Amino acid sequence: MTLRVSADKDTGVAVVTLDRPERLNAIDLGTAAELTAAWREFRFDDSVRAIVLTGAGGRAFCTGLDRDAVVPQPNSPYMVDDPLVAIGPKACDLWKPVIVAVNGMACGGAFYLIGEADFVIADETATFFDPHTTYGMVSAYESILLAQRMPVGEVARMALMGTAERVSARRAYEVGLVSELTAPGEAPAAGVRCADVIASCPAEAVQGTVRALWAAKEATRTAALAHAPHLVSMGNLPSEAQAGLFAGRRGEFRTR
């Protein structure tokens, strides 16, 4: 298992931990399936009323899809198999509040999770970036989800600068991606404190509020995501060309 789930039945809070620190919590196909299954199970578990999602180890919350994952694709620009499309709670029709607690790197496919959180807490070590364009890939799902929670210009800069620039936890807080900053290693505990309060409120009122907030932006998000598979299919370099860019990648970047 690459996902750890613990639940406190007394408080109604569950903590979900991506547990692949040796791979910077990158999501392989097994982890993707475990995430989908966990969100769906929470829909039926009335003892869980609020959830905190975090990553194991100090280096990364999540670095997106594991590069070793093999994902065969149909030979058509109108059909794309995206293994991350159902890893988020809202994609699984879960309307219980989910708080993401970020430490270290959060990049690429991590934004499928961050983009479907109700709010994000980060410690001072957190950095955010989107490597897609650097490696010949379209940032579609990631950019669409982030555009729902931070200024479009900030999303554009993150997506278009690729690996050359990382957004600091402080800057992420300033532009609204992050709601609270903590000392290193303290984000999960801060998330649990918030979840404790939320879980103590009547569940029906909490879930109705979550649903109302997402309804406010759902039409735009749904319409935009409908374009994402075709943009990815038409704009991505062939996988062998992407692999060449990854092999020749440089480590230089600036943090702002």
Side-chain angles (χ1 to χ4, degrees), residues 113-144:
L113 297 169
I114 290 172
E116 291 198 8
D118 294 292
F119 58 91
V120 178
I121 295 172
D123 77 20
E124 295 166 352
T125 71
T127 58
F128 303 83
F129 63 102
D130 190 343
H132 280 77
T133 56
T134 298
Y135 301 128
M137 295 179 284
V138 174
S139 174
Y141 291 95
E142 295 82 1
S143 292
I144 290 167

Side-chain angles (χ1 to χ4, degrees), residues 52-125:
V52 177
L53 173 66
T54 192
R59 295 179 61 197
F61 161 67
C62 176
T63 53
L65 182 65
D66 193 311
R67 286 296 298 176
D68 289 340
V70 177
V71 186
Q73 294 294 327
N75 188 28
S76 168
Y78 301 104
M79 295 181 287
V80 176
D81 281 351
D82 185 343
L84 303 186
V85 75
I87 64 168
K90 306 306 184 289
C92 293
D93 200 35
L94 177 69
W95 301 101
K96 298 180 180 183
V98 175
I99 302 164
V100 165
V102 178
N103 59 285
M105 291 184 289
C107 64
F111 297 128
Y112 285 68
L113 297 169
I114 290 172
E116 291 198 8
D118 294 292
F119 58 91
V120 178
I121 295 172
D123 77 20
E124 295 166 352
T125 71

